[in-house]
Each structure stands twice: as C-alpha cells, then as structure tokens.
Amino acid sequence: MPKRCLNAINVVLLQEMNFLKRAADWLWYVIKSLFMLPVSMWRWYSGLYRGKPWYKKVLTATVSFFLLLFFYVFAVFVNLLWLFGKMPSVDSIMHPETSEASVVYSADGVEIGKFFRENRSTVQYEDVSPMFYKTLIDTEDERFYQHHGVDFQGVIAAVKDIFLGSPRGASTITQQLAKNMFRVRTQYSNGLLGNIPGLRMIIMKTKECIAAAELEMLYSKREILQMYINTVDFGSNAYGLRTAANTYFGTTPDKLKVEESAVLVGLLKATSTYNPHSNYEKSLSRRNTVLYNLFSHGDLTRQEYDSLSALPIDISKYKVEKVYDGSAPYLRQEIARFLSEKFREHGLGSVDLYSDGLKIYTTIDSRMQHYAESATITHVNNLQRGFHLRADVAEKYTNTALRTLPRYRQLKDNPDSLNHFLTVEVNQPHEVIINNPYTGPQAMMLSTRDSIKTMLGFLQAGFVVIEPSTHHVKAWVGNINFRTWNHDNVIARHQTGSTFKGIVYCEAMEQGWSPCDNIEDRPPRGAKLKKTRWSGANMLLRSAFKHSKNAAAVNLCYKVGPNSVVRLARKLGIKDPLYNDYQNLTLGSSSIKLVELVNAYAVMLANGYVRTPIIVTKVVDRYGKVVYSEDQEPTQQVLSQRSAFLMQQMLHAGLEGTSAPMYSYINGFTSTTDFGGKTGTTNESTDALYIGATPNLVGGVWVGGEYRDIHPYGSGASLALPIWGRFIQKTLSDTRFTRYKLKFPQVSDKVVPRECYQCGYRRGGYSSAATANDGGGGEPAPAPSPVNITE
C-alpha cells in the first residue's frame, strides 16, 4: 500500500479518536452535572432560608409547596419518564363511551330482551325525579355546585377526620364519575412508581382529580350528573339509574319515590353491604341516614322525615335481570350467533353486541311469540302428564350421563373407587335442585342417579312460524324452558318423517304431474316396506298425499328421481345432508333443521319465491347509525307458479286426511281463511312433526325427548298438530291479525289445465264430491258444477 494512503488513514483514525474522546468528555460532564444538579439546587434553595426572617421562610415554603405540587400534577398528566402511567386522553374525555346493554325489539316495537355484560340503559337528565338529584347531592357531594371537580374543603375535613380516628371519603361526584367512566385504577398502566407500596393510591387519586377537573371544564353540572347516574354501579348487576330503579323497585327513574331514591343513593357507599334484598336491616339504617341528610339540608321537613323513615323498604319487586330473561330467549340466542357472523362478514368485528348499546330490530311479533310459547308449554305439559319413561331406557341413558360426570373421569383409572362411585355414591339421596321446565327450580331429596332419570323424563319441543310473503320469522320457540335447556330444537337436526313428502310431491308437480294423476300405492322393486302398509291400488296423488301413503310416496320419488328431489330441496333452502335413495329420502330419514323445513314450505306458499328466513331487520348503534340492515338479496323464483299453486291445494286437502284434527281449532275461521297441513311421524314416534299453513303463515312443530328412545307414543297429528292448532286459533281470534285471514290465491286456466277439474278442483278449493270420491280408488271424480262451492 502506498505510503501516502497510510498517512491518510492514520490522519482519519486520529480524528476519529479525538472526536470520541471529546464526546466521552462531554457525556461525563453531563452525567456529573445531572448528579450534581440536585446538590447545587439544594444549596441554592437552602440559601433562601439562611438568615432570613420567619415570614420570608414561610412565604418561600408556601411557594415551594405549590410549585412542587404543580410540577407533580404536570408530571402525572404527561406521565413524565413513564413514572406514573397513562392518563385518559382529552379525546376520550370529550367522547366518553361506557358499556351499555344492547336492546332487542320485536316488530311491533316491544322490548323483548337485552344483551349485556353490565346491565346498563341510559336515561336523560329530565327523565329522572328531581328529588333523586337532591338526595344524591345532599349525601354524596353537598358542595357539588360550588367546586370545580375537587372539593378542597372536603379534603381538609377528611384529613382532619383521619387524625380524629373516623376516616371518611372525600371524592366528589365528578371524581367518582372519572373513576367509574375511565377506570383509571384498572384500565391504565401504573407506571414505575405505581408499583411502590403506598404510592399507587396517591397516583390513582391524582389521576382522578385531574380527570375530574377536565370533566368540569368540558361539561356542565347537569351533563355531569346525567353521565354519573348512567355509569354508577348500584349492585345486583344494575348499572345506571334506569336499570337500578327497575331491578330494586320495578319502576322508572321519573317515578322514584323519595324513600326509594334514598335506598338507591345509600347503595353507593357499599352495594353489597346495603343491598335491601340480602341485608335488609343495614339497608334500612343506611336509607334513614340518607333521609336525615335530606332533612338536615332543608329538602325534607321534620314531619316528612319522621314519616318516611318509619316506612319499611318494599322489596317485593326486586328482580335481578339476566341476559336471557324476557321473551323469545332461544331466538335471542340465535340472534347473538347470527349477528356475530354478520359483523365479521361486513368488517364490523369491533362492534360488541354485549357493550355497545345497540338497538336490534327483529321480525318477531311479540303477540304471536306469546301465543306460540303458551301453545307449546300448554300442550307439552298435557303430554307430560301421561308420559312415563320406560325403565330400561331410563337406565341406559342414566348410565351414559354418569360417564360424563367429572367424578367418573377422575376415578376411571381406579376400578375399586369407580365401582364404589357407581354402586354407592350415585345412589345416596341428597338435596338437589331439579330445573322443572313447567314449575321452575325445585329442591328435592334424590340420589344423583334418580335426579338424572327425572331430567330425562321431561319431553321437549320446538316451534317456528314464518310469514311466506316476506320470509320473516314471526315466532320462535326453541324448547319448553330456557333455564332448563338452552338446546334449541328450531335449529337442531331431527328426522322429518312424512313432512318431507311435501318436497317429493312438489318435484312431481315441477315435472308436470298434477293432483289428479294416479299413482300406485305400492313401493318400487327393492324397497323394504311392510306389506300391511300399502294396498297396491291406484289412487290420486291428492289422496295419497292427504292420507300420507308411504308406498305411494316412495313410488312417486322413484318415478321423479331422488336426485331431482334432492336438487329441489337445495333450491328450497335445505342445506343439511340428505339421503339420495328414494325410500330413506321420501320417508324423512334425513335429519334437517326445523326452520329450514318450514322455510321450504314457505316457498310453496310464496308462489315459488325463496329467501333465507329473516330474523333481524336492522341494527342501530347508540348514535343512531345503522350498522346492519336486512340483507337485500333479491328473491329468486325456484318453483313455477303452477307447482306452488298445486302444492297449496295439496296442503289444503291434507285437512281431509291426517290433518283432520285441525278442524277442532279452525271451525270458526274456514269461511274467511284457507288452511293446510302435513303430518310427520318417524319410527316408534321418535319424532312427531306437523307443518301447518295458511296463505301467509306457515309453522312447523317438533315434539320428542332428550334422546331418540325417549318419546311419547302417538302421531304428528296427536303430538305436534295441537301446538299449531292452539297458536293459529289464538292468532286469528286476535282482531289485530285480521290481515292473516286469507284464501289461497287463484290462478288462470293457463297455469292449471282444465283437466285438473277432473279430480274435483274448482275455484276456492276441492269440492265435497271430490273429497268423497278420492279416498283410495284410482277413478277420478267427475267434474263438478262450477257453483255452490262447499268447504
């Protein structure tokens, strides 16, 4: 390497070394200065006191205290050197958000339930009794209208009381609001100093004071009071005054009595200690203390105080609201699943159903829902009285249930202990709570084995009603009692029995068949049906359908092709797996959701137009913005108008066959309303089903047990039909539902050929002559006169 290059490198290295040396010297100077700064400052500060008069020393100490206090508050506010943890931002204080319950509304505007973690519903300032505000201020913050967030007079008094041995709180309403709304003690980090014992509470209190001062600068006293009453916890899962008034006294904030306001304000000191339901005497004493505060501040006279303090606390309306209290709990369970899925699909994953204060508008009609729940519970309770669980079935499924117990899993590797558990422990009576779906929880002395058998012996049901013209779900009953079972039989998969035959016949109509065509009541070769269940005679499709002839339906499926039937089922909205052999498919061996089956029939009643069942029409956030609306997917016609019309007439004919018991419910309505139906029963009555129809309402019922071996004996007509019958009878008797009193629509001869009159069809339905002549023979009835229609 040339000497000139080496010299240049040496020069550069020398310069770098000099630079590093100067940098090191400068850094050392800075460090030394930082360490010496406090010493220098102290020397300067102590010089302010030396040789000075006493008044100057006092003045210096006072100024120093306030400067130090200002610096400390500023350091906490900006989280200096990460020592104190974060503060709520100005933006979060200007736009506060609290956890608020989402409310579910029916189509007729009735609140049917809520979703919440903290059960809170907001109330406006003017919608609260003025006496409540006086009670609150007189007890919690008597100088509320004089201070600016921090009551320094109250702080001094609290310090004095600490030294006197009777400590008390000094937080103002605004400070309590800051603590409740922004959770500065839990939501924000503590900082390095916050981990030092004793300093944490001082730092948290400082943050609350700073946040309170900001609130006072940004909001009026009235706005602060409104925010406070909507955020404070009153215990018993009641957040905010609206919920608390309803929970403790079954009333609204504007109707609170003075003594009730005193109880609620008294709870703020300690929600558990002064709960009137669990600690009545302490709550009464605390209420009277609050009433005395009103008297001492001149808001009550002596006479008023004496009379109010002598009153007992009325706790007869005390009720803690739970998420699934109210109407249609099974529907609300499905809404929670449905909306979570929709929010993800629409990029709304941050929307929280349980805390964002949403308003959820559903398709359910509260009156129909009531009729549906009443019909289901009444009928299944009647069935329950005559139902007895077979001993062998009870033993079989009890043993199955025992193997799922934690105690069984714990002992399964120890044969001796497990044997003792199964033969001794589970047979020893003890007090258990039986969730009876009809009478509610009952305390009983039963062994574990007997308690399981008791629960297995309860029958179950599911019922859903859809409006075909809109595909809106109008009633949804997932089971008998949500507190007993949250298992929803509307979306559970059950075998459908003969109710699936409607889809087979519908495919036949699509392929050009008509109700007056003949079908042989004989299964095709290879089918395995008992000879006693088919006659071999020719009969009209209408007759085979209304009498639910198995062999004829299987034969028809064979002729139209099971794959074609499956394809039609998919078009009608059935998504569950289906058998593709003609016998299992036709006789309903496939397990299908009840709501999908009912919606398939709704397509037939909607002149062939299909749409997914709608349960939610709109979701609005707390600011009035629509975050979700009913999917505006276009309806698609999957059935011809001819097929839809003929299936309506087939369903109508069902009332002359297996659905004949419906007449005991509808006799008073047949002049104004058309009805139809299809029964379904699986082997051994394991599943009993009924599809009931009017021109603009279709309902599906399932009745059964916990397991397939647990079921009453009967048919769809006796076990399931009465639920639809009771429901439609109540609905049509209600003058608010006259719009559902309709006849099936008529069609022109271009849609239904003239030859259909051969089997008795005429405008308005089938004639009595047709009914008399299509019972089982293959000869069609003669065409009747086009007048004097008989129901």
Side-chain angles (χ1 to χ4, degrees):
M1 182 180 293
K3 186 175 182 180
R4 184 180 299 173
C5 292
L6 290 173
N7 290 338
I9 292 173
N10 288 334
V11 170
V12 172
L13 290 174
L14 183 61
Q15 290 174 345
E16 292 289 338
M17 292 177 65
N18 288 335
F19 173 78
L20 291 174
K21 183 177 182 303
R22 288 196 299 273
D25 291 342
W26 178 82
L27 183 61
W28 171 245
Y29 174 78
V30 171
I31 294 173
K32 184 169 68 173
S33 298
L34 287 175
F35 276 102
M36 292 302 295
L37 183 62
V39 177
S40 301
M41 289 290 293
W42 175 250
R43 287 174 181 169
W44 170 79
Y45 182 72
S46 60
L48 297 175
Y49 287 87
R50 273 191 218 102
K52 299 295 191 291
W54 67 269
Y55 60 88
K56 286 191 176 181
K57 292 181 180 180
V58 172
L59 179 62
T60 300
T62 303
V63 172
S64 300
F65 171 77
F66 282 106
L67 286 174
L68 186 61
L69 179 63
F70 175 81
F71 177 76
Y72 165 70
V73 171
F74 174 78
V76 173
F77 181 73
V78 300
N79 189 21
L80 184 66
L81 300 177
W82 303 279
L83 294 173
F84 304 98
K86 291 184 178 180
M87 277 281 299
S89 67
V90 175
D91 182 69
S92 67
I93 292 176
M94 292 180 66
H95 305 93
E97 287 193 6
T98 56
S99 177
E100 184 178 340
S102 294
V103 183
V104 184
Y105 294 97
S106 66
D108 52 318
V110 176
E111 179 183 318
I112 60 175
K114 297 177 182 177
F115 295 107
F116 57 81
R117 292 189 188 89
E118 296 179 354
N119 187 11
R120 176 185 288 109
S121 296
T122 58
V123 62
Q124 298 301 309
Y125 179 91
E126 58 272 13
D127 294 330
V128 176
S129 166
M131 200 62 188
F132 178 84
Y133 293 121
K134 292 181 180 180
T135 308
L136 175 66
I137 292 170
D138 288 351
T139 302
E140 292 293 312
D141 190 357
E142 61 185 354
R143 284 175 291 276
F144 174 71
Y145 288 106
Q146 284 76 53
H147 64 68
H148 298 286
V150 179
D151 182 6
F152 293 105
Q153 182 179 340
V155 172
I156 294 171
V159 172
K160 181 193 71 174
D161 288 345
I162 290 174
F163 285 108
L164 294 176
S166 55
R168 63 180 178 88
S171 292
T172 64
I173 286 176
T174 317
Q175 285 176 267
Q176 293 177 46
L177 173 61
K179 181 180 71 173
N180 295 335
M181 183 174 288
F182 305 112
R183 292 182 171 87
V184 294
R185 301 187 182 187
T186 57
Q187 187 170 327
Y188 296 92
S189 58
N190 300 324
L192 298 174
L193 294 179
N195 296 316
I196 300 175
L199 287 181
R200 174 184 171 84
M201 184 53 65
I202 295 174
I203 293 171
M204 294 301 103
K205 279 289 186 182
T206 304
K207 289 182 178 181
E208 289 173 11
C209 291
I210 295 171
E214 291 181 283
L215 285 168
E216 292 277 351
M217 287 189 290
L218 294 170
Y219 298 99
S220 67
K221 292 290 186 179
R222 175 173 170 149
E223 290 171 327
I224 288 172
L225 282 174
Q226 179 174 309
M227 287 190 288
Y228 179 84
I229 63 173
N230 283 320
T231 57
V232 69
D233 178 10
F234 287 93
S236 297
N237 200 25
Y239 293 83
L241 183 60
R242 182 190 292 277
T243 307
N246 183 60
T247 297
Y248 288 96
F249 301 111
T251 188
T252 54
D254 60 321
K255 297 177 181 177
L256 280 170
K257 300 174 184 176
V258 176
E259 63 273 22
E260 293 171 343
S261 296
V263 172
L264 295 179
V265 170
L267 280 165
L268 301 178
K269 185 175 183 179
T271 55
S272 297
T273 302
Y274 299 113
N275 186 309
H277 185 261
S278 55
N279 290 299
Y280 180 86
E281 294 300 329
K282 289 184 178 180
S283 177
L284 184 65
S285 175
R286 177 63 181 162
R287 183 206 66 177
N288 290 344
T289 299
V290 174
L291 290 173
Y292 186 80
N293 287 337
L294 283 168
F295 164 68
S296 63
H297 285 83
D299 291 317
L300 285 181
T301 65
R302 167 59 75 173
Q303 183 180 2
E304 289 172 330
Y305 166 70
D306 290 340
S307 61
L308 290 174
S309 59
L311 293 174
I313 300 176
D314 181 6
I315 58 174
S316 61
K317 297 180 181 178
Y318 174 84
K319 184 175 184 251
V320 179
E321 188 174 7
K322 298 179 181 178
V323 171
Y324 286 105
D325 284 348
S327 181
Y330 294 96
L331 172 77
R332 287 185 279 128
Q333 181 177 251
E334 177 62 11
I335 286 174
R337 184 206 62 78
F338 170 79
L339 286 181
S340 296
E341 181 180 296
K342 287 298 179 182
F343 289 159
R344 285 195 301 270
E345 288 178 6
H346 291 76
L348 299 171
S350 61
V351 177
D352 191 335
L353 182 66
Y354 293 87
S355 65
D356 282 356
L358 306 173
K359 289 181 172 59
I360 302 163
Y361 298 94
T362 71
T363 60
I364 292 295
D365 187 287
S366 65
R367 298 155 297 188
M368 286 190 186
Q369 180 68 26
H370 172 70
Y371 296 150
E373 290 175 351
S374 175
T376 304
I377 293 171
T378 300
H379 178 64
V380 178
N381 193 16
N382 290 339
L383 293 177
Q384 190 73 54
R385 294 192 185 101
F387 174 69
H388 299 284
L389 184 62
R390 280 171 34 201
D392 59 328
V393 173
E395 194 65 26
K396 172 185 174 181
Y397 289 109
T398 298
N399 291 332
T400 300
L402 287 173
R403 287 193 289 272
T404 66
L405 297 177
R407 179 69 170 154
Y408 182 94
R409 293 195 296 268
Q410 180 185 358
L411 300 174
K412 66 179 182 179
D413 295 327
N414 188 331
D416 292 337
S417 298
L418 182 61
N419 182 62
H420 182 267
F421 169 71
L422 293 175
T423 58
V424 179
E425 289 184 32
V426 299
N427 294 317
Q428 293 176 340
H430 58 283
E431 185 172 313
V432 296
I433 303 297
I434 297 296
N435 285 314
N436 189 306
Y438 309 105
T439 60
Q442 294 178 320
M444 303 177 71
M445 290 297 296
L446 293 174
S447 68
T448 301
R449 185 180 293 277
D450 288 339
S451 66
I452 293 173
K453 289 179 180 178
T454 301
M455 291 305 300
L456 288 173
F458 290 121
L459 297 175
Q460 301 186 29
F463 181 29
V464 63
V465 180
I466 295 176
E467 186 179 74
S469 60
T470 59
H471 288 271
H472 284 183
V473 175
K474 306 308 292 182
W476 182 300
V477 183
N479 216 322
I480 305 302
N481 189 316
F482 192 83
R483 290 187 176 90
T484 305
W485 305 286
N486 57 21
H487 175 75
D488 187 347
N489 287 305
V490 170
I491 56 173
R493 293 171 175 85
H494 298 289
Q495 291 186 343
T496 61
S498 292
T499 56
F500 194 86
K501 291 176 184 174
I503 299 174
V504 175
Y505 281 86
C506 190
E507 174 58 24
M509 301 302 111
E510 281 288 275
Q511 293 188 18
W513 293 62
S514 74
C516 48
D517 286 329
N518 285 309
I519 188 73
E520 191 176 5
D521 185 27
R522 181 192 304 275
R525 185 173 299 174
K528 298 178 180 178
L529 287 178
K530 292 181 180 179
K531 179 65 178 71
T532 55
R533 297 189 179 182
W534 49 273
S535 64
N538 280 336
M539 59 175 53
L540 302 176
L541 259 64
R542 176 178 181 272
S543 178
F545 181 85
K546 77 175 186 180
H547 292 297
S548 198
K549 297 293 186 178
N550 286 345
V554 171
N555 194 11
L556 182 63
C557 183
Y558 174 78
K559 292 179 181 294
V560 300
N563 290 334
S564 298
V565 175
V566 170
R567 282 193 294 270
L568 177 61
R570 298 292 180 234
K571 291 179 182 179
L572 296 176
I574 294 176
K575 302 172 185 176
D576 290 314
L578 298 172
Y579 284 97
N580 60 2
D581 68 279
Y582 49 82
Q583 180 168 323
N584 282 309
L585 180 65
T586 303
L587 300 183
S589 298
S590 305
S591 293
I592 297 173
K593 292 179 181 177
L594 182 62
V595 67
E596 291 184 0
L597 179 66
V598 174
N599 197 53
Y601 276 88
V603 177
M604 303 174 197
L605 295 164
N607 293 323
Y609 287 90
V610 68
R611 194 178 186 190
T612 303
I614 305 298
I615 57 175
V616 175
T617 57
K618 184 172 62 174
V619 179
V620 179
D621 68 14
R622 68 178 84 190
Y623 307 111
K625 178 184 176 183
V626 176
V627 296
Y628 169 80
S629 62
E630 176 184 333
D631 291 335
Q632 298 301 318
E633 59 181 85
T635 54
Q636 179 183 2
Q637 188 168 14
V638 296
L639 291 179
S640 67
Q641 188 180 1
R642 172 188 180 275
S643 298
F645 170 77
L646 292 176
M647 284 308 301
Q648 292 166 19
Q649 300 304 316
M650 295 278 272
L651 288 167
H652 188 49
L655 269 68
E656 307 296 339
T658 57
S659 296
M662 271 299 298
Y663 278 110
S664 62
Y665 301 99
I666 62 173
N667 268 335
F669 307 106
T670 53
S671 61
T672 59
T673 310
D674 278 343
F675 298 88
K678 183 71 193 78
T679 56
T681 315
T682 59
N683 288 342
E684 303 296 331
S685 305
T686 296
D687 305 277
L689 298 99
Y690 187 71
I691 301 295
T694 68
N696 203 26
L697 282 178
V698 57
V701 182
W702 172 89
V703 174
E706 181 80 13
Y707 297 97
R708 291 187 59 79
D709 291 348
I710 301 172
H711 52 80
Y713 286 94
S715 65
S718 61
L719 300 177
L721 179 150
I723 292 177
W724 167 256
R726 289 172 183 271
F727 165 80
I728 202 64
Q729 184 182 57
K730 284 284 189 181
T731 299
L732 296 181
S733 297
D734 191 328
T735 56
R736 294 167 294 186
F737 294 125
T738 54
R739 65 185 183 274
Y740 291 110
K741 293 181 178 180
L742 300 169
K743 292 287 188 175
F744 286 125
Q746 304 303 313
V747 294
S748 68
D749 291 340
K750 294 180 180 179
V751 176
V752 179
R754 184 68 183 173
E755 59 265 22
C756 286
Y757 290 105
Q758 294 175 357
C759 67
Y761 168 73
R762 55 170 109 173
R763 300 277 181 230
Y766 284 89
S767 71
S768 56
T771 301
N773 285 282
D774 74 346
E779 294 299 320
S785 170
V787 292
N788 298 327
I789 300 171
T790 305
E791 287 289 345

